[in-house]
Amino acid sequence: MKLLLYPKGLLEAAWRKDKKLYADGDAADPPRCLRCGAPLAPHLMVNALSRYVDVQICEACGMDEALRDAAHIPLPLEEWDAIKQGRLLRPQKSRDCYLKTTCGFDQVFQHTYTPPMQATKRPVSEAAYSRSDYDGCRWWTTWHDEREKKPAPELVKEIDEFQSALFKLPAFKTLDTMRRFCRYAQPTNDATEFNLYSETDHLYIWIRLITRFRDYNVYVHYYDKAAVEVKQ
């Protein structure tokens, strides 16, 4: 299983193709800016290098990115014009799993229960969740199953594969690399907390990223798709 940040790879692949139009540094018919849709400058070096993906964007977008970066409110990659307008091919179904900044499974949170001795409600479809912290040298992870019911074998397999692939990403080498990676994640009302979402054949997945040191830094919640469908 391979985890990819959506739509970073699509944007960079599109730019590699667009860049070929700049023969000797100039383009007779410049491509459109992937971020806003406006034409890029005919001279390649006039365009700005994005701070978030390895592509060049128009001057106006370069300035907007700089201002947003200073204010810590980047424009999500999924809000770029090339993605919103469907100008790029969507990822095909494969063993690759995409990490996204928008939740596509709100129905998971419509059916909940309250575990014994707890005040917080949890989705009934939750198969398990992990809680990880970084101690300055390595990650430590504990697993939790509030229903005390072992997930089905196909769920266990996907959970193990996803968890392993997640922590093999360069973004999770240290807490500092995770902090930098959070610029691509969905922000929350707390400046130290972020969200990402994914799914496999049998699971919906919610990843909570918390950048505070000496705290639990990564929660990964796994929800059984079959259980969600039964409740609908």
Side-chain angles (χ1 to χ4, degrees):
M1 181 182 293
K2 184 178 181 180
L3 304 188
L4 303 172
L5 184 66
Y6 176 83
K8 185 174 183 288
L10 292 180
L11 292 167
E12 291 176 343
W15 172 243
R16 286 193 294 270
K17 181 179 179 180
D18 288 348
K19 192 175 180 179
K20 293 178 181 178
L21 297 175
Y22 285 91
D24 300 321
D26 292 289
D29 184 17
R32 294 160 63 184
C33 175
L34 294 168
R35 190 173 183 271
C36 72
L40 291 174
H43 188 57
L44 179 63
M45 299 308 295
V46 172
N47 298 299
L49 181 63
S50 171
R51 294 165 180 253
Y52 296 94
V53 286
D54 188 15
V55 310
Q56 284 185 256
I57 53 180
C58 67
E59 286 186 278
C61 280
M63 179 62 72
D64 185 66
E65 271 202 346
L67 294 173
R68 283 176 169 271
D69 192 55
H72 304 291
I73 50 171
L75 182 70
L77 298 183
E78 292 177 43
E79 293 296 313
W80 281 36
D81 181 80
I83 301 301
K84 291 182 68 175
Q85 301 302 323
R87 290 198 278 132
L88 306 185
L89 293 176
R90 293 186 177 275
Q92 300 296 312
K93 191 174 182 62
S94 68
R95 287 290 292 161
D96 294 342
C97 292
Y98 288 86
L99 303 177
K100 299 184 178 183
T101 58
T102 55
C103 179
F105 46 87
D106 290 337
Q107 68 274 25
V108 162
F109 307 101
Q110 295 174 3
H111 303 283
T112 61
Y113 76 102
T114 303
M117 308 298 291
Q118 293 190 25
T120 304
K121 293 184 177 181
R122 311 189 73 85
V124 297
S125 59
E126 186 169 57
Y129 75 91
S130 68
R131 186 172 65 182
S132 305
D133 65 281
Y134 188 77
D135 67 358
C137 297
R138 56 162 291 184
W139 290 96
W140 297 89
T141 298
T142 55
W143 288 90
H144 302 267
D145 175 15
E146 300 294 348
R147 307 301 289 268
E148 298 182 354
K149 180 180 179 181
K150 187 176 180 179
E154 64 271 19
L155 300 187
V156 173
K157 182 177 184 294
E158 289 186 1
I159 289 172
D160 286 345
E161 289 181 352
F162 187 93
Q163 190 83 6
S164 177
L166 182 68
F167 281 94
K168 284 181 180 177
L169 291 175
F172 291 91
K173 183 177 181 180
T174 67
L175 186 58
D176 285 337
T177 58
M178 193 194 83
R179 285 195 184 101
R180 292 194 288 272
F181 178 70
C182 283
R183 70 197 312 209
Y184 298 108
Q186 179 191 58
T188 68
N189 292 330
D190 187 322
T192 63
E193 298 188 14
F194 303 84
N195 296 316
L196 284 172
Y197 309 91
S198 189
E199 63 178 284
T200 62
D201 290 341
H202 299 96
L203 298 163
Y204 292 121
I205 303 166
W206 172 31
I207 306 168
R208 289 184 60 207
L209 304 172
I210 300 168
T211 60
R212 299 184 295 270
F213 186 55
R214 298 191 184 281
D215 200 343
Y216 292 111
N217 304 116
V218 183
Y219 288 80
V220 187
H221 298 267
Y222 297 93
Y223 306 107
D224 182 359
K225 286 184 176 180
V228 175
E229 292 170 359
V230 168
K231 291 294 180 181
Q232 291 182 333

mmCIF file of all heavy atoms in Angstrom, residues 122 125-130 143-147 149 151 155 159 203-204 206 220-224:
data_model
loop_
_atom_site.group_PDB
_atom_site.id
_atom_site.type_symbol
_atom_site.label_atom_id
_atom_site.label_comp_id
_atom_site.label_asym_id
_atom_site.label_seq_id
_atom_site.Cartn_x
_atom_site.Cartn_y
_atom_site.Cartn_z
ATOM 1 N N ARG A 122 -18.846 8.146 20.334
ATOM 2 C CA ARG A 122 -17.993 7.630 19.282
ATOM 3 C C ARG A 122 -18.853 6.972 18.208
ATOM 4 O O ARG A 122 -19.907 6.413 18.507
ATOM 5 C CB ARG A 122 -16.997 6.613 19.836
ATOM 6 C CG ARG A 122 -16.242 7.080 21.069
ATOM 7 C CD ARG A 122 -15.139 6.119 21.418
ATOM 8 N NE ARG A 122 -14.043 6.250 20.469
ATOM 9 C CZ ARG A 122 -13.060 7.160 20.594
ATOM 10 N NH1 ARG A 122 -13.054 7.987 21.624
ATOM 11 N NH2 ARG A 122 -12.092 7.223 19.710
ATOM 12 N N SER A 125 -19.436 2.656 13.977
ATOM 13 C CA SER A 125 -18.689 1.948 12.933
ATOM 14 C C SER A 125 -17.190 1.911 13.193
ATOM 15 O O SER A 125 -16.444 1.327 12.406
ATOM 16 C CB SER A 125 -18.950 2.599 11.569
ATOM 17 O OG SER A 125 -18.549 3.956 11.597
ATOM 18 N N GLU A 126 -16.735 2.518 14.280
ATOM 19 C CA GLU A 126 -15.299 2.548 14.540
ATOM 20 C C GLU A 126 -14.788 1.150 14.861
ATOM 21 O O GLU A 126 -15.190 0.532 15.840
ATOM 22 C CB GLU A 126 -14.978 3.503 15.689
ATOM 23 C CG GLU A 126 -13.478 3.691 15.909
ATOM 24 C CD GLU A 126 -13.177 4.818 16.863
ATOM 25 O OE1 GLU A 126 -13.666 4.780 18.015
ATOM 26 O OE2 GLU A 126 -12.469 5.760 16.464
ATOM 27 N N ALA A 127 -13.859 0.670 14.042
ATOM 28 C CA ALA A 127 -13.295 -0.667 14.252
ATOM 29 C C ALA A 127 -12.167 -0.631 15.274
ATOM 30 O O ALA A 127 -12.007 -1.552 16.076
ATOM 31 C CB ALA A 127 -12.783 -1.219 12.925
ATOM 32 N N ALA A 128 -11.379 0.443 15.237
ATOM 33 C CA ALA A 128 -10.261 0.613 16.167
ATOM 34 C C ALA A 128 -9.671 1.998 15.938
ATOM 35 O O ALA A 128 -9.959 2.649 14.934
ATOM 36 C CB ALA A 128 -9.201 -0.466 15.951
ATOM 37 N N TYR A 129 -8.840 2.425 16.881
ATOM 38 C CA TYR A 129 -8.072 3.649 16.641
ATOM 39 C C TYR A 129 -6.730 3.542 17.348
ATOM 40 O O TYR A 129 -6.569 2.817 18.333
ATOM 41 C CB TYR A 129 -8.833 4.908 17.085
ATOM 42 C CG TYR A 129 -8.905 5.181 18.571
ATOM 43 C CD1 TYR A 129 -7.943 5.969 19.212
ATOM 44 C CD2 TYR A 129 -9.959 4.689 19.341
ATOM 45 C CE1 TYR A 129 -8.026 6.237 20.563
ATOM 46 C CE2 TYR A 129 -10.056 4.964 20.694
ATOM 47 C CZ TYR A 129 -9.085 5.740 21.306
ATOM 48 O OH TYR A 129 -9.169 6.017 22.651
ATOM 49 N N SER A 130 -5.744 4.240 16.792
ATOM 50 C CA SER A 130 -4.407 4.254 17.368
ATOM 51 C C SER A 130 -4.098 5.649 17.893
ATOM 52 O O SER A 130 -4.637 6.645 17.421
ATOM 53 C CB SER A 130 -3.359 3.849 16.326
ATOM 54 O OG SER A 130 -3.253 4.840 15.317
ATOM 55 N N TRP A 143 -2.982 0.975 20.898
ATOM 56 C CA TRP A 143 -4.200 0.686 20.152
ATOM 57 C C TRP A 143 -5.397 0.585 21.094
ATOM 58 O O TRP A 143 -5.265 0.136 22.236
ATOM 59 C CB TRP A 143 -4.046 -0.621 19.376
ATOM 60 C CG TRP A 143 -3.119 -0.475 18.212
ATOM 61 C CD1 TRP A 143 -1.767 -0.666 18.194
ATOM 62 C CD2 TRP A 143 -3.473 -0.073 16.885
ATOM 63 N NE1 TRP A 143 -1.257 -0.410 16.951
ATOM 64 C CE2 TRP A 143 -2.287 -0.054 16.120
ATOM 65 C CE3 TRP A 143 -4.682 0.262 16.266
ATOM 66 C CZ2 TRP A 143 -2.263 0.291 14.776
ATOM 67 C CZ3 TRP A 143 -4.664 0.598 14.921
ATOM 68 C CH2 TRP A 143 -3.475 0.614 14.184
ATOM 69 N N HIS A 144 -6.564 1.003 20.576
ATOM 70 C CA HIS A 144 -7.767 1.009 21.396
ATOM 71 C C HIS A 144 -8.951 0.462 20.598
ATOM 72 O O HIS A 144 -9.091 0.742 19.407
ATOM 73 C CB HIS A 144 -8.095 2.432 21.860
ATOM 74 C CG HIS A 144 -6.990 3.063 22.643
ATOM 75 N ND1 HIS A 144 -6.922 3.015 24.018
ATOM 76 C CD2 HIS A 144 -5.879 3.736 22.246
ATOM 77 C CE1 HIS A 144 -5.828 3.635 24.426
ATOM 78 N NE2 HIS A 144 -5.182 4.083 23.370
ATOM 79 N N ASP A 145 -9.763 -0.312 21.268
ATOM 80 C CA ASP A 145 -10.997 -0.838 20.688
ATOM 81 C C ASP A 145 -12.070 -0.753 21.762
ATOM 82 O O ASP A 145 -12.159 -1.614 22.636
ATOM 83 C CB ASP A 145 -10.810 -2.284 20.224
ATOM 84 C CG ASP A 145 -12.110 -2.904 19.721
ATOM 85 O OD1 ASP A 145 -13.059 -2.135 19.478
ATOM 86 O OD2 ASP A 145 -12.179 -4.130 19.598
ATOM 87 N N GLU A 146 -12.859 0.322 21.713
ATOM 88 C CA GLU A 146 -13.841 0.569 22.763
ATOM 89 C C GLU A 146 -14.920 -0.508 22.811
ATOM 90 O O GLU A 146 -15.518 -0.760 23.853
ATOM 91 C CB GLU A 146 -14.490 1.949 22.563
ATOM 92 C CG GLU A 146 -13.506 3.112 22.608
ATOM 93 C CD GLU A 146 -12.871 3.314 23.966
ATOM 94 O OE1 GLU A 146 -13.353 2.700 24.929
ATOM 95 O OE2 GLU A 146 -11.890 4.074 24.064
ATOM 96 N N ARG A 147 -15.183 -1.143 21.674
ATOM 97 C CA ARG A 147 -16.245 -2.159 21.643
ATOM 98 C C ARG A 147 -15.747 -3.528 22.093
ATOM 99 O O ARG A 147 -16.534 -4.457 22.251
ATOM 100 C CB ARG A 147 -16.829 -2.279 20.223
ATOM 101 C CG ARG A 147 -17.303 -0.955 19.612
ATOM 102 C CD ARG A 147 -18.380 -0.280 20.452
ATOM 103 N NE ARG A 147 -19.641 -0.986 20.380
ATOM 104 C CZ ARG A 147 -20.603 -0.708 19.496
ATOM 105 N NH1 ARG A 147 -20.425 0.276 18.633
ATOM 106 N NH2 ARG A 147 -21.732 -1.392 19.491
ATOM 107 N N LYS A 149 -14.251 -5.764 20.529
ATOM 108 C CA LYS A 149 -14.577 -6.772 19.530
ATOM 109 C C LYS A 149 -13.525 -6.691 18.438
ATOM 110 O O LYS A 149 -13.358 -5.656 17.798
ATOM 111 C CB LYS A 149 -15.968 -6.525 18.938
ATOM 112 C CG LYS A 149 -16.381 -7.540 17.887
ATOM 113 C CD LYS A 149 -17.769 -7.223 17.336
ATOM 114 C CE LYS A 149 -18.178 -8.209 16.260
ATOM 115 N NZ LYS A 149 -19.524 -7.881 15.698
ATOM 116 N N PRO A 151 -11.735 -6.650 15.080
ATOM 117 C CA PRO A 151 -12.211 -6.430 13.700
ATOM 118 C C PRO A 151 -12.039 -7.671 12.837
ATOM 119 O O PRO A 151 -11.225 -8.544 13.117
ATOM 120 C CB PRO A 151 -11.321 -5.277 13.215
ATOM 121 C CG PRO A 151 -10.812 -4.622 14.453
ATOM 122 C CD PRO A 151 -10.672 -5.721 15.456
ATOM 123 N N LEU A 155 -10.298 -6.273 7.692
ATOM 124 C CA LEU A 155 -10.101 -4.956 8.277
ATOM 125 C C LEU A 155 -8.740 -4.881 8.968
ATOM 126 O O LEU A 155 -8.021 -3.873 8.848
ATOM 127 C CB LEU A 155 -11.204 -4.634 9.279
ATOM 128 C CG LEU A 155 -12.641 -4.615 8.762
ATOM 129 C CD1 LEU A 155 -13.583 -4.122 9.851
ATOM 130 C CD2 LEU A 155 -12.766 -3.745 7.526
ATOM 131 N N ILE A 159 -5.853 -2.199 8.151
ATOM 132 C CA ILE A 159 -5.405 -1.324 9.231
ATOM 133 C C ILE A 159 -3.893 -1.420 9.394
ATOM 134 O O ILE A 159 -3.187 -0.402 9.482
ATOM 135 C CB ILE A 159 -6.119 -1.671 10.551
ATOM 136 C CG1 ILE A 159 -7.593 -1.248 10.483
ATOM 137 C CG2 ILE A 159 -5.435 -0.985 11.742
ATOM 138 C CD1 ILE A 159 -8.427 -1.727 11.656
ATOM 139 N N LEU A 203 -12.396 0.514 4.623
ATOM 140 C CA LEU A 203 -12.308 1.452 5.743
ATOM 141 C C LEU A 203 -12.401 2.911 5.315
ATOM 142 O O LEU A 203 -11.892 3.292 4.264
ATOM 143 C CB LEU A 203 -10.977 1.263 6.476
ATOM 144 C CG LEU A 203 -10.705 -0.089 7.139
ATOM 145 C CD1 LEU A 203 -9.222 -0.226 7.436
ATOM 146 C CD2 LEU A 203 -11.523 -0.233 8.415
ATOM 147 N N TYR A 204 -13.035 3.707 6.160
ATOM 148 C CA TYR A 204 -12.893 5.156 6.129
ATOM 149 C C TYR A 204 -11.892 5.498 7.228
ATOM 150 O O TYR A 204 -11.896 4.869 8.300
ATOM 151 C CB TYR A 204 -14.218 5.856 6.426
ATOM 152 C CG TYR A 204 -15.282 5.688 5.364
ATOM 153 C CD1 TYR A 204 -16.509 5.120 5.673
ATOM 154 C CD2 TYR A 204 -15.059 6.128 4.071
ATOM 155 C CE1 TYR A 204 -17.491 4.982 4.708
ATOM 156 C CE2 TYR A 204 -16.043 5.990 3.087
ATOM 157 C CZ TYR A 204 -17.248 5.421 3.416
ATOM 158 O OH TYR A 204 -18.225 5.274 2.459
ATOM 159 N N TRP A 206 -9.838 8.624 9.483
ATOM 160 C CA TRP A 206 -9.669 10.018 9.919
ATOM 161 C C TRP A 206 -8.361 10.110 10.705
ATOM 162 O O TRP A 206 -8.152 9.383 11.672
ATOM 163 C CB TRP A 206 -10.846 10.441 10.792
ATOM 164 C CG TRP A 206 -10.691 11.787 11.466
ATOM 165 C CD1 TRP A 206 -10.014 12.868 11.011
ATOM 166 C CD2 TRP A 206 -11.261 12.179 12.721
ATOM 167 N NE1 TRP A 206 -10.112 13.919 11.883
ATOM 168 C CE2 TRP A 206 -10.869 13.524 12.952
ATOM 169 C CE3 TRP A 206 -12.062 11.537 13.666
ATOM 170 C CZ2 TRP A 206 -11.257 14.222 14.100
ATOM 171 C CZ3 TRP A 206 -12.443 12.236 14.800
ATOM 172 C CH2 TRP A 206 -12.047 13.556 15.013
ATOM 173 N N VAL A 220 -5.289 7.939 14.703
ATOM 174 C CA VAL A 220 -5.795 7.404 13.442
ATOM 175 C C VAL A 220 -7.030 6.571 13.750
ATOM 176 O O VAL A 220 -6.940 5.536 14.417
ATOM 177 C CB VAL A 220 -4.742 6.546 12.710
ATOM 178 C CG1 VAL A 220 -5.259 6.157 11.330
ATOM 179 C CG2 VAL A 220 -3.416 7.289 12.589
ATOM 180 N N HIS A 221 -8.185 7.043 13.288
ATOM 181 C CA HIS A 221 -9.461 6.372 13.534
ATOM 182 C C HIS A 221 -9.859 5.585 12.291
ATOM 183 O O HIS A 221 -9.904 6.134 11.183
ATOM 184 C CB HIS A 221 -10.551 7.400 13.864
ATOM 185 C CG HIS A 221 -10.269 8.188 15.108
ATOM 186 N ND1 HIS A 221 -10.731 7.813 16.344
ATOM 187 C CD2 HIS A 221 -9.565 9.336 15.298
ATOM 188 C CE1 HIS A 221 -10.339 8.690 17.253
ATOM 189 N NE2 HIS A 221 -9.624 9.622 16.648
ATOM 190 N N TYR A 222 -10.179 4.314 12.473
ATOM 191 C CA TYR A 222 -10.560 3.424 11.383
ATOM 192 C C TYR A 222 -12.040 3.052 11.520
ATOM 193 O O TYR A 222 -12.457 2.523 12.558
ATOM 194 C CB TYR A 222 -9.708 2.158 11.408
ATOM 195 C CG TYR A 222 -8.232 2.418 11.181
ATOM 196 C CD1 TYR A 222 -7.368 2.612 12.260
ATOM 197 C CD2 TYR A 222 -7.704 2.471 9.892
ATOM 198 C CE1 TYR A 222 -6.018 2.842 12.051
ATOM 199 C CE2 TYR A 222 -6.351 2.703 9.677
ATOM 200 C CZ TYR A 222 -5.516 2.893 10.767
ATOM 201 O OH TYR A 222 -4.169 3.128 10.550
ATOM 202 N N TYR A 223 -12.820 3.322 10.465
ATOM 203 C CA TYR A 223 -14.257 3.063 10.488
ATOM 204 C C TYR A 223 -14.624 2.017 9.433
ATOM 205 O O TYR A 223 -14.213 2.116 8.276
ATOM 206 C CB TYR A 223 -15.034 4.351 10.223
ATOM 207 C CG TYR A 223 -14.662 5.472 11.164
ATOM 208 C CD1 TYR A 223 -13.907 6.556 10.714
ATOM 209 C CD2 TYR A 223 -15.044 5.450 12.500
ATOM 210 C CE1 TYR A 223 -13.551 7.589 11.573
ATOM 211 C CE2 TYR A 223 -14.688 6.478 13.364
ATOM 212 C CZ TYR A 223 -13.935 7.538 12.889
ATOM 213 O OH TYR A 223 -13.582 8.557 13.746
ATOM 214 N N ASP A 224 -15.402 1.042 9.836
ATOM 215 C CA ASP A 224 -15.818 -0.062 8.971
ATOM 216 C C ASP A 224 -16.885 0.430 7.987
ATOM 217 O O ASP A 224 -17.980 0.824 8.389
ATOM 218 C CB ASP A 224 -16.360 -1.193 9.848
ATOM 219 C CG ASP A 224 -16.776 -2.415 9.049
ATOM 220 O OD1 ASP A 224 -16.669 -2.393 7.812
ATOM 221 O OD2 ASP A 224 -17.218 -3.396 9.681
#
